[in-house]
Amino acid sequence: MNLKELSTLLGLSQTTVSRALNGYPEVSEVTRDKVMKAAKLHNYSPNTRARGLATGRNHAVGHVIPLSTEHEVVNPVFTDFIAGASEIYSRENYDMILSIVPDSTEADAYRKIAAKGSVDGVIVHGPKANDPRIALLREIGMPFVVHGRSGIAEESEYSWVDMNNTRAFERATEFLIDLGHRRIGLLNGLETMDFALKRREGYRAALASAALKEHKDLCYSSEMTEEYGFTATMEMLALNQPPTAILASSIIVGFGVRRALDTSGLKIGKDVSLIVHDDDLSYLRNGSNEPIYTATRSSVRMAGRICAEILMEQISDPNRPLRHVLLDAELIIGHTTGPAPKD
Amino acid sequence: MNLKELSTLLGLSQTTVSRALNGYPEVSEVTRDKVMKAAKLHNYSPNTRARGLATGRNHAVGHVIPLSTEHEVVNPVFTDFIAGASEIYSRENYDMILSIVPDSTEADAYRKIAAKGSVDGVIVHGPKANDPRIALLREIGMPFVVHGRSGIAEESEYSWVDMNNTRAFERATEFLIDLGHRRIGLLNGLETMDFALKRREGYRAALASAALKEHKDLCYSSEMTEEYGFTATMEMLALNQPPTAILASSIIVGFGVRRALDTSGLKIGKDVSLIVHDDDLSYLRNGSNEPIYTATRSSVRMAGRICAEILMEQISDPNRPLRHVLLDAELIIGHTTGPAPKD
DNA sequence: CCCCGAACTCAAAGCGCTTTGGCATCTCTC
DNA sequence: GAGAGATGCCAAAGCGCTTTGAGTTCGGGG
């Protein structure tokens, strides 16, 4: 069923039917009603391509996922993020187009997306420490929102939604220091990524203000897998002076830490304390009533919602001022932290 | 840059340029070359909407994710699946459109997608025991591939890619029985889902052929979270006759089981054995060299690739015969199983 | 030297929609 | 009762592409 068919069926012109459906005032309520009913009855939805072609609007946004050899953004965090974003999209009747592109061809991919004109805006995932995509998108002139930030310099020049990574990890480290811990391991994410750098800074700041020095052999940086948590922890435990506390960059890494401690016969929260960062993932809840892990928590799903909302805003009116949202993580106390053991 | 601009720039007609770009034989190699170069230089990509309108082909496939109150398909398994699928899509230059729709309006959503004509085919995720979507899509006449199956009756009438869930869980159960276990807990997924039902069948079959009876209080069914694994295990351990082995439907559930055993001071693989199903998720690897958990393993990412490939086939030639792919899970032996403890 | 087919190229139609500008018809107002 | 302004509807253009059917050019055989 297309417009033409529907309109001949109704004995009206295409114009009138189109206007009726799109809420233009030039059509009487009676007619509009008739049209609406007929549309529903015959299951008519305007063809998106044609509509897009005519209006220049796609009702679609793009999520470009760099597929790199070193870092996979298609991860559980990403999943929850898009779950959040799509809540907004479905409300606004927008489609979400996912392109997973090898990061070698990423710049091209963005240009191509712009040229193909199939989306009205994009969301940038997993910004690196100094990410060329931002300049690129500004140059192209397509509305975009970054999940995270990239470098400090021009962060006022694009819209972003970020968690306060620095503060979160600073706070977590302070908490451990207050508990008497002096040797604190950091299982960070890949430090090519902006968020990981910021977390590192926070960790460092807390140590510094307690006049503690950072030990190189207690600081790890890698893709955030369970295996990583396990291996790194085992390595640290084998040191002459193993850490009494560990800060893990995700709950999955935390699982690995737990396994390593179990394997080594150490009691979590007693022999070794653990704080994880908890993205509040729907499938990896940190306890339902009561938290299991002591954690810095910030819902990535929420971040997805906010990003999407800002992008919608930006699309509907490109002249809106840029938006910057900094979400604070809360420190929640679970069963994996305790006072530093005396030796 | 659009076709018109590009062609005047080259001093050629739009037809010629279009043909040159699309590989038609009516254009000389010299011309084609010039056109190609210019297109690359000026970063020209044909507008997808216009192209779609003209050809009726979108170069896009849809993934419809039912968002239900009881079951979230946006889960880590889904993530790896689309990572696999998109490997194929990006190779074939297809877009992936994700729609997350409330499952109450799901039927409508499919009709609407068909009517809007923005995709050439769809992949059906998370089929329920008897899923109406399949009949619906056949009626609509849009190419589709199901990840999983739905009921036994007409499974020859649509394309699907599934894991042999029944066999996998039968084999795992047999393995535990061979180790001497008699009380085997099952932490299944939601048994409204087809895959979970099939797993249950396999479990049941193995028990039956060993002349063991199924204990209701050892069989759980729920969304596959860590919390679920923990809670259910704690409950079972509190029984008069707790299980000596547990079968968990995912590695995440397995994490919960591990935590429950730790909490209870029980040694995994000794006091209680554990087999998980391992979807070989990139972020939740079951060990890199050597498996950690004893598991039935089948790569969901691979399933994604195969689904996508079949769908591409089906789209390019709707008359291709339907395809049915049944992937067998391998049983891999990790450190979480051992002979049943004597009491 | 001419004609014919091969090799190219082109103008124009059409995909399904929105939107501009215009045309009836109808209702007031003076 | 006529002109002005609403009101409700319509025809047609145009979005950027593909594709049909119709040229145009060129080289080679008769």
Side-chain angles (χ1 to χ4, degrees), chain A residues 223-267:
Chain A
E223 191 78 21
M224 301 182 283
T225 63
E226 199 263 4
E227 183 82 9
Y228 162 50
F230 178 79
T231 314
T233 304
M234 291 305 271
E235 259 182 58
M236 287 196 291
L237 291 177
L239 293 173
N240 276 338
Q241 301 197 326
T244 64
I246 293 175
L247 215 49
S249 218
S250 91
I251 202 165
I252 294 180
V253 175
F255 288 152
V257 174
R258 174 185 288 278
R259 183 160 62 91
L261 295 179
D262 289 344
T263 306
S264 311
L266 294 169
K267 189 106 181 103

mmCIF file of all heavy atoms in Angstrom, chain A residues 223-267:
data_model
loop_
_atom_site.group_PDB
_atom_site.id
_atom_site.type_symbol
_atom_site.label_atom_id
_atom_site.label_comp_id
_atom_site.label_asym_id
_atom_site.label_seq_id
_atom_site.Cartn_x
_atom_site.Cartn_y
_atom_site.Cartn_z
ATOM 1 N N GLU A 223 42.530 -4.570 27.654
ATOM 2 C CA GLU A 223 41.136 -4.875 27.350
ATOM 3 C C GLU A 223 40.493 -5.496 28.592
ATOM 4 O O GLU A 223 41.090 -6.344 29.243
ATOM 5 C CB GLU A 223 41.135 -5.898 26.211
ATOM 6 C CG GLU A 223 39.810 -6.154 25.583
ATOM 7 C CD GLU A 223 39.473 -5.038 24.650
ATOM 8 O OE1 GLU A 223 40.394 -4.323 24.206
ATOM 9 O OE2 GLU A 223 38.288 -4.855 24.373
ATOM 10 N N MET A 224 39.281 -5.101 28.904
ATOM 11 C CA MET A 224 38.702 -5.486 30.194
ATOM 12 C C MET A 224 37.972 -6.830 30.204
ATOM 13 O O MET A 224 36.743 -6.883 30.208
ATOM 14 C CB MET A 224 37.768 -4.377 30.667
ATOM 15 C CG MET A 224 38.489 -3.053 30.819
ATOM 16 S SD MET A 224 37.433 -1.737 31.414
ATOM 17 C CE MET A 224 36.535 -1.357 29.921
ATOM 18 N N THR A 225 38.742 -7.876 30.234
ATOM 19 C CA THR A 225 38.141 -9.209 30.249
ATOM 20 C C THR A 225 38.318 -9.889 31.597
ATOM 21 O O THR A 225 39.106 -9.432 32.440
ATOM 22 C CB THR A 225 38.811 -10.105 29.193
ATOM 23 O OG1 THR A 225 40.196 -10.248 29.540
ATOM 24 C CG2 THR A 225 38.718 -9.486 27.816
ATOM 25 N N GLU A 226 37.615 -10.976 31.772
ATOM 26 C CA GLU A 226 37.731 -11.749 32.997
ATOM 27 C C GLU A 226 39.144 -12.302 33.103
ATOM 28 O O GLU A 226 39.789 -12.249 34.148
ATOM 29 C CB GLU A 226 36.696 -12.887 32.968
ATOM 30 C CG GLU A 226 36.365 -13.495 34.325
ATOM 31 C CD GLU A 226 37.154 -14.778 34.592
ATOM 32 O OE1 GLU A 226 38.014 -15.170 33.778
ATOM 33 O OE2 GLU A 226 36.930 -15.372 35.652
ATOM 34 N N GLU A 227 39.603 -12.812 32.013
ATOM 35 C CA GLU A 227 40.951 -13.396 31.933
ATOM 36 C C GLU A 227 42.023 -12.394 32.375
ATOM 37 O O GLU A 227 42.941 -12.736 33.107
ATOM 38 C CB GLU A 227 41.199 -13.800 30.474
ATOM 39 C CG GLU A 227 42.517 -14.474 30.215
ATOM 40 C CD GLU A 227 42.474 -15.955 30.549
ATOM 41 O OE1 GLU A 227 41.361 -16.472 30.818
ATOM 42 O OE2 GLU A 227 43.538 -16.580 30.561
ATOM 43 N N TYR A 228 41.871 -11.195 31.906
ATOM 44 C CA TYR A 228 42.806 -10.124 32.274
ATOM 45 C C TYR A 228 42.817 -9.935 33.781
ATOM 46 O O TYR A 228 43.879 -9.865 34.418
ATOM 47 C CB TYR A 228 42.397 -8.847 31.550
ATOM 48 C CG TYR A 228 42.946 -7.543 32.083
ATOM 49 C CD1 TYR A 228 44.308 -7.359 32.343
ATOM 50 C CD2 TYR A 228 42.084 -6.459 32.278
ATOM 51 C CE1 TYR A 228 44.783 -6.142 32.796
ATOM 52 C CE2 TYR A 228 42.558 -5.246 32.727
ATOM 53 C CZ TYR A 228 43.907 -5.090 32.997
ATOM 54 O OH TYR A 228 44.377 -3.889 33.445
ATOM 55 N N GLY A 229 41.642 -9.870 34.376
ATOM 56 C CA GLY A 229 41.541 -9.701 35.820
ATOM 57 C C GLY A 229 42.256 -10.826 36.549
ATOM 58 O O GLY A 229 42.990 -10.604 37.520
ATOM 59 N N PHE A 230 42.053 -12.030 36.053
ATOM 60 C CA PHE A 230 42.669 -13.193 36.682
ATOM 61 C C PHE A 230 44.188 -13.152 36.563
ATOM 62 O O PHE A 230 44.910 -13.214 37.552
ATOM 63 C CB PHE A 230 42.125 -14.471 36.024
ATOM 64 C CG PHE A 230 42.720 -15.729 36.566
ATOM 65 C CD1 PHE A 230 42.282 -16.262 37.771
ATOM 66 C CD2 PHE A 230 43.723 -16.391 35.871
ATOM 67 C CE1 PHE A 230 42.828 -17.442 38.278
ATOM 68 C CE2 PHE A 230 44.286 -17.561 36.373
ATOM 69 C CZ PHE A 230 43.840 -18.084 37.574
ATOM 70 N N THR A 231 44.641 -13.008 35.333
ATOM 71 C CA THR A 231 46.075 -13.075 35.074
ATOM 72 C C THR A 231 46.840 -11.978 35.801
ATOM 73 O O THR A 231 47.862 -12.241 36.457
ATOM 74 C CB THR A 231 46.342 -12.935 33.565
ATOM 75 O OG1 THR A 231 45.424 -13.781 32.876
ATOM 76 C CG2 THR A 231 47.746 -13.327 33.227
ATOM 77 N N ALA A 232 46.334 -10.765 35.679
ATOM 78 C CA ALA A 232 47.027 -9.646 36.303
ATOM 79 C C ALA A 232 47.073 -9.824 37.815
ATOM 80 O O ALA A 232 48.103 -9.569 38.458
ATOM 81 C CB ALA A 232 46.340 -8.336 35.936
ATOM 82 N N THR A 233 45.976 -10.277 38.377
ATOM 83 C CA THR A 233 45.948 -10.470 39.825
ATOM 84 C C THR A 233 46.947 -11.543 40.239
ATOM 85 O O THR A 233 47.707 -11.375 41.210
ATOM 86 C CB THR A 233 44.537 -10.861 40.284
ATOM 87 O OG1 THR A 233 43.617 -9.864 39.847
ATOM 88 C CG2 THR A 233 44.468 -10.969 41.793
ATOM 89 N N MET A 234 46.966 -12.633 39.517
ATOM 90 C CA MET A 234 47.921 -13.698 39.836
ATOM 91 C C MET A 234 49.355 -13.157 39.787
ATOM 92 O O MET A 234 50.173 -13.468 40.660
ATOM 93 C CB MET A 234 47.775 -14.870 38.848
ATOM 94 C CG MET A 234 46.470 -15.653 38.999
ATOM 95 S SD MET A 234 46.142 -16.297 40.662
ATOM 96 C CE MET A 234 46.942 -17.884 40.569
ATOM 97 N N GLU A 235 49.612 -12.367 38.797
ATOM 98 C CA GLU A 235 50.941 -11.779 38.674
ATOM 99 C C GLU A 235 51.282 -10.905 39.875
ATOM 100 O O GLU A 235 52.362 -11.002 40.458
ATOM 101 C CB GLU A 235 51.011 -10.912 37.413
ATOM 102 C CG GLU A 235 51.690 -11.575 36.233
ATOM 103 C CD GLU A 235 51.747 -10.631 35.044
ATOM 104 O OE1 GLU A 235 52.306 -9.522 35.157
ATOM 105 O OE2 GLU A 235 51.184 -11.023 33.996
ATOM 106 N N MET A 236 50.335 -10.062 40.227
ATOM 107 C CA MET A 236 50.584 -9.152 41.348
ATOM 108 C C MET A 236 50.755 -9.911 42.657
ATOM 109 O O MET A 236 51.563 -9.541 43.510
ATOM 110 C CB MET A 236 49.440 -8.142 41.476
ATOM 111 C CG MET A 236 49.453 -7.092 40.384
ATOM 112 S SD MET A 236 48.417 -5.667 40.769
ATOM 113 C CE MET A 236 46.796 -6.387 40.685
ATOM 114 N N LEU A 237 49.997 -10.975 42.809
ATOM 115 C CA LEU A 237 50.084 -11.753 44.054
ATOM 116 C C LEU A 237 51.441 -12.435 44.188
ATOM 117 O O LEU A 237 51.868 -12.780 45.288
ATOM 118 C CB LEU A 237 48.967 -12.800 44.111
ATOM 119 C CG LEU A 237 47.550 -12.244 44.271
ATOM 120 C CD1 LEU A 237 46.531 -13.376 44.250
ATOM 121 C CD2 LEU A 237 47.423 -11.437 45.555
ATOM 122 N N ALA A 238 52.088 -12.629 43.049
ATOM 123 C CA ALA A 238 53.393 -13.291 43.080
ATOM 124 C C ALA A 238 54.529 -12.317 43.404
ATOM 125 O O ALA A 238 55.685 -12.717 43.566
ATOM 126 C CB ALA A 238 53.651 -13.975 41.748
ATOM 127 N N LEU A 239 54.221 -11.044 43.498
ATOM 128 C CA LEU A 239 55.247 -10.046 43.803
ATOM 129 C C LEU A 239 55.753 -10.211 45.234
ATOM 130 O O LEU A 239 55.095 -10.818 46.082
ATOM 131 C CB LEU A 239 54.665 -8.635 43.654
ATOM 132 C CG LEU A 239 54.267 -8.177 42.247
ATOM 133 C CD1 LEU A 239 53.566 -6.822 42.334
ATOM 134 C CD2 LEU A 239 55.495 -8.100 41.354
ATOM 135 N N ASN A 240 56.917 -9.653 45.485
ATOM 136 C CA ASN A 240 57.435 -9.654 46.848
ATOM 137 C C ASN A 240 56.472 -8.963 47.799
ATOM 138 O O ASN A 240 56.180 -9.455 48.871
ATOM 139 C CB ASN A 240 58.770 -8.909 46.897
ATOM 140 C CG ASN A 240 59.909 -9.831 46.496
ATOM 141 O OD1 ASN A 240 59.764 -11.056 46.585
ATOM 142 N ND2 ASN A 240 61.001 -9.258 46.040
ATOM 143 N N GLN A 241 56.044 -7.811 47.339
ATOM 144 C CA GLN A 241 55.062 -7.091 48.150
ATOM 145 C C GLN A 241 53.754 -6.992 47.378
ATOM 146 O O GLN A 241 53.517 -6.007 46.675
ATOM 147 C CB GLN A 241 55.576 -5.684 48.457
ATOM 148 C CG GLN A 241 56.899 -5.680 49.199
ATOM 149 C CD GLN A 241 57.151 -4.341 49.842
ATOM 150 O OE1 GLN A 241 56.776 -3.297 49.315
ATOM 151 N NE2 GLN A 241 57.773 -4.352 51.010
ATOM 152 N N PRO A 242 52.929 -7.985 47.510
ATOM 153 C CA PRO A 242 51.668 -7.953 46.753
ATOM 154 C C PRO A 242 50.748 -6.865 47.287
ATOM 155 O O PRO A 242 50.909 -6.404 48.419
ATOM 156 C CB PRO A 242 51.083 -9.339 46.996
ATOM 157 C CG PRO A 242 51.703 -9.826 48.250
ATOM 158 C CD PRO A 242 53.045 -9.185 48.352
ATOM 159 N N PRO A 243 49.817 -6.435 46.469
ATOM 160 C CA PRO A 243 48.881 -5.391 46.905
ATOM 161 C C PRO A 243 47.912 -5.937 47.946
ATOM 162 O O PRO A 243 47.661 -7.136 47.994
ATOM 163 C CB PRO A 243 48.128 -5.040 45.624
ATOM 164 C CG PRO A 243 48.227 -6.260 44.777
ATOM 165 C CD PRO A 243 49.542 -6.884 45.094
ATOM 166 N N THR A 244 47.403 -5.033 48.762
ATOM 167 C CA THR A 244 46.362 -5.442 49.706
ATOM 168 C C THR A 244 44.995 -5.020 49.201
ATOM 169 O O THR A 244 43.986 -5.335 49.802
ATOM 170 C CB THR A 244 46.586 -4.811 51.092
ATOM 171 O OG1 THR A 244 46.465 -3.379 50.971
ATOM 172 C CG2 THR A 244 47.970 -5.148 51.628
ATOM 173 N N ALA A 245 45.009 -4.273 48.116
ATOM 174 C CA ALA A 245 43.736 -3.851 47.538
ATOM 175 C C ALA A 245 43.900 -3.699 46.029
ATOM 176 O O ALA A 245 44.996 -3.428 45.536
ATOM 177 C CB ALA A 245 43.270 -2.535 48.147
ATOM 178 N N ILE A 246 42.795 -3.899 45.339
ATOM 179 C CA ILE A 246 42.815 -3.807 43.881
ATOM 180 C C ILE A 246 41.630 -2.989 43.406
ATOM 181 O O ILE A 246 40.520 -3.109 43.930
ATOM 182 C CB ILE A 246 42.781 -5.218 43.250
ATOM 183 C CG1 ILE A 246 44.080 -5.969 43.573
ATOM 184 C CG2 ILE A 246 42.578 -5.141 41.747
ATOM 185 C CD1 ILE A 246 44.099 -7.409 43.105
ATOM 186 N N LEU A 247 41.916 -2.188 42.399
ATOM 187 C CA LEU A 247 40.887 -1.365 41.777
ATOM 188 C C LEU A 247 40.713 -1.908 40.359
ATOM 189 O O LEU A 247 41.667 -1.912 39.591
ATOM 190 C CB LEU A 247 41.433 0.057 41.714
ATOM 191 C CG LEU A 247 40.529 1.257 41.885
ATOM 192 C CD1 LEU A 247 39.656 1.094 43.105
ATOM 193 C CD2 LEU A 247 41.410 2.500 42.046
ATOM 194 N N ALA A 248 39.517 -2.377 40.058
ATOM 195 C CA ALA A 248 39.327 -2.972 38.732
ATOM 196 C C ALA A 248 38.374 -2.123 37.911
ATOM 197 O O ALA A 248 37.378 -1.611 38.409
ATOM 198 C CB ALA A 248 38.796 -4.396 38.858
ATOM 199 N N SER A 249 38.660 -2.015 36.637
ATOM 200 C CA SER A 249 37.969 -1.065 35.787
ATOM 201 C C SER A 249 36.591 -1.510 35.328
ATOM 202 O O SER A 249 35.854 -0.748 34.732
ATOM 203 C CB SER A 249 38.837 -0.732 34.571
ATOM 204 O OG SER A 249 38.705 0.617 34.248
ATOM 205 N N SER A 250 36.267 -2.748 35.598
ATOM 206 C CA SER A 250 34.906 -3.187 35.273
ATOM 207 C C SER A 250 34.545 -4.399 36.108
ATOM 208 O O SER A 250 35.408 -5.062 36.680
ATOM 209 C CB SER A 250 34.762 -3.535 33.795
ATOM 210 O OG SER A 250 35.035 -4.897 33.588
ATOM 211 N N ILE A 251 33.283 -4.683 36.145
ATOM 212 C CA ILE A 251 32.832 -5.788 36.975
ATOM 213 C C ILE A 251 33.318 -7.112 36.409
ATOM 214 O O ILE A 251 33.590 -8.063 37.135
ATOM 215 C CB ILE A 251 31.292 -5.737 37.124
ATOM 216 C CG1 ILE A 251 30.853 -6.502 38.366
ATOM 217 C CG2 ILE A 251 30.592 -6.260 35.886
ATOM 218 C CD1 ILE A 251 29.424 -6.195 38.761
ATOM 219 N N ILE A 252 33.498 -7.150 35.102
ATOM 220 C CA ILE A 252 33.986 -8.382 34.485
ATOM 221 C C ILE A 252 35.431 -8.656 34.905
ATOM 222 O O ILE A 252 35.801 -9.774 35.245
ATOM 223 C CB ILE A 252 33.857 -8.304 32.955
ATOM 224 C CG1 ILE A 252 32.374 -8.249 32.578
ATOM 225 C CG2 ILE A 252 34.534 -9.477 32.291
ATOM 226 C CD1 ILE A 252 32.111 -8.160 31.104
ATOM 227 N N VAL A 253 36.211 -7.604 34.883
ATOM 228 C CA VAL A 253 37.583 -7.741 35.379
ATOM 229 C C VAL A 253 37.537 -8.192 36.836
ATOM 230 O O VAL A 253 38.312 -9.057 37.263
ATOM 231 C CB VAL A 253 38.359 -6.409 35.252
ATOM 232 C CG1 VAL A 253 39.734 -6.513 35.881
ATOM 233 C CG2 VAL A 253 38.477 -6.000 33.795
ATOM 234 N N GLY A 254 36.577 -7.636 37.562
ATOM 235 C CA GLY A 254 36.392 -8.028 38.959
ATOM 236 C C GLY A 254 36.132 -9.520 39.125
ATOM 237 O O GLY A 254 36.640 -10.142 40.059
ATOM 238 N N PHE A 255 35.374 -10.088 38.221
ATOM 239 C CA PHE A 255 35.140 -11.535 38.273
ATOM 240 C C PHE A 255 36.461 -12.286 38.220
ATOM 241 O O PHE A 255 36.669 -13.262 38.935
ATOM 242 C CB PHE A 255 34.282 -11.995 37.088
ATOM 243 C CG PHE A 255 32.836 -11.581 37.164
ATOM 244 C CD1 PHE A 255 32.102 -11.386 35.999
ATOM 245 C CD2 PHE A 255 32.200 -11.409 38.390
ATOM 246 C CE1 PHE A 255 30.764 -11.012 36.058
ATOM 247 C CE2 PHE A 255 30.856 -11.026 38.450
ATOM 248 C CZ PHE A 255 30.145 -10.830 37.282
ATOM 249 N N GLY A 256 37.328 -11.810 37.354
ATOM 250 C CA GLY A 256 38.637 -12.454 37.207
ATOM 251 C C GLY A 256 39.480 -12.316 38.467
ATOM 252 O O GLY A 256 40.161 -13.251 38.882
ATOM 253 N N VAL A 257 39.391 -11.135 39.075
ATOM 254 C CA VAL A 257 40.124 -10.913 40.321
ATOM 255 C C VAL A 257 39.623 -11.891 41.382
ATOM 256 O O VAL A 257 40.402 -12.546 42.076
ATOM 257 C CB VAL A 257 39.954 -9.462 40.814
ATOM 258 C CG1 VAL A 257 40.601 -9.280 42.172
ATOM 259 C CG2 VAL A 257 40.527 -8.480 39.802
ATOM 260 N N ARG A 258 38.310 -12.005 41.444
ATOM 261 C CA ARG A 258 37.724 -12.923 42.421
ATOM 262 C C ARG A 258 38.243 -14.349 42.207
ATOM 263 O O ARG A 258 38.631 -15.047 43.146
ATOM 264 C CB ARG A 258 36.192 -12.906 42.312
ATOM 265 C CG ARG A 258 35.507 -13.950 43.191
ATOM 266 C CD ARG A 258 34.006 -13.983 42.964
ATOM 267 N NE ARG A 258 33.317 -12.830 43.504
ATOM 268 C CZ ARG A 258 32.957 -12.702 44.778
ATOM 269 N NH1 ARG A 258 33.233 -13.667 45.651
ATOM 270 N NH2 ARG A 258 32.320 -11.643 45.178
ATOM 271 N N ARG A 259 38.281 -14.751 40.973
ATOM 272 C CA ARG A 259 38.734 -16.110 40.691
ATOM 273 C C ARG A 259 40.194 -16.298 41.111
ATOM 274 O O ARG A 259 40.564 -17.333 41.674
ATOM 275 C CB ARG A 259 38.545 -16.436 39.204
ATOM 276 C CG ARG A 259 38.930 -17.850 38.829
ATOM 277 C CD ARG A 259 38.301 -18.284 37.513
ATOM 278 N NE ARG A 259 38.726 -17.480 36.392
ATOM 279 C CZ ARG A 259 39.778 -17.759 35.615
ATOM 280 N NH1 ARG A 259 40.518 -18.837 35.852
ATOM 281 N NH2 ARG A 259 40.083 -16.974 34.608
ATOM 282 N N ALA A 260 40.992 -15.275 40.842
ATOM 283 C CA ALA A 260 42.414 -15.369 41.207
ATOM 284 C C ALA A 260 42.570 -15.469 42.719
ATOM 285 O O ALA A 260 43.376 -16.261 43.229
ATOM 286 C CB ALA A 260 43.163 -14.158 40.674
ATOM 287 N N LEU A 261 41.802 -14.682 43.422
ATOM 288 C CA LEU A 261 41.901 -14.715 44.883
ATOM 289 C C LEU A 261 41.449 -16.068 45.413
ATOM 290 O O LEU A 261 42.098 -16.669 46.273
ATOM 291 C CB LEU A 261 41.067 -13.584 45.496
ATOM 292 C CG LEU A 261 41.557 -12.158 45.162
ATOM 293 C CD1 LEU A 261 40.652 -11.110 45.797
ATOM 294 C CD2 LEU A 261 43.000 -11.945 45.610
ATOM 295 N N ASP A 262 40.352 -16.568 44.882
ATOM 296 C CA ASP A 262 39.869 -17.896 45.278
ATOM 297 C C ASP A 262 40.948 -18.932 45.039
ATOM 298 O O ASP A 262 41.275 -19.744 45.900
ATOM 299 C CB ASP A 262 38.640 -18.294 44.440
ATOM 300 C CG ASP A 262 37.417 -17.485 44.821
ATOM 301 O OD1 ASP A 262 37.442 -16.851 45.898
ATOM 302 O OD2 ASP A 262 36.456 -17.485 44.046
ATOM 303 N N THR A 263 41.482 -18.876 43.841
ATOM 304 C CA THR A 263 42.502 -19.852 43.458
ATOM 305 C C THR A 263 43.692 -19.804 44.405
ATOM 306 O O THR A 263 44.296 -20.813 44.734
ATOM 307 C CB THR A 263 42.991 -19.565 42.024
ATOM 308 O OG1 THR A 263 41.852 -19.533 41.170
ATOM 309 C CG2 THR A 263 43.963 -20.616 41.537
ATOM 310 N N SER A 264 44.014 -18.594 44.847
ATOM 311 C CA SER A 264 45.168 -18.431 45.731
ATOM 312 C C SER A 264 44.805 -18.637 47.199
ATOM 313 O O SER A 264 45.645 -18.444 48.083
ATOM 314 C CB SER A 264 45.750 -17.022 45.565
ATOM 315 O OG SER A 264 45.916 -16.729 44.205
ATOM 316 N N GLY A 265 43.571 -18.984 47.431
ATOM 317 C CA GLY A 265 43.150 -19.215 48.808
ATOM 318 C C GLY A 265 43.062 -17.950 49.643
ATOM 319 O O GLY A 265 43.143 -17.986 50.859
ATOM 320 N N LEU A 266 42.894 -16.819 48.969
ATOM 321 C CA LEU A 266 42.778 -15.563 49.705
ATOM 322 C C LEU A 266 41.317 -15.160 49.823
ATOM 323 O O LEU A 266 40.524 -15.400 48.915
ATOM 324 C CB LEU A 266 43.573 -14.470 49.000
ATOM 325 C CG LEU A 266 45.092 -14.677 48.997
ATOM 326 C CD1 LEU A 266 45.759 -13.700 48.055
ATOM 327 C CD2 LEU A 266 45.645 -14.532 50.413
ATOM 328 N N LYS A 267 40.999 -14.556 50.919
ATOM 329 C CA LYS A 267 39.621 -14.167 51.146
ATOM 330 C C LYS A 267 39.410 -12.739 50.646
ATOM 331 O O LYS A 267 40.100 -11.800 51.060
ATOM 332 C CB LYS A 267 39.318 -14.277 52.646
ATOM 333 C CG LYS A 267 37.877 -14.110 53.023
ATOM 334 C CD LYS A 267 37.209 -15.434 53.419
ATOM 335 C CE LYS A 267 35.732 -15.224 53.782
ATOM 336 N NZ LYS A 267 34.819 -15.638 52.732
#
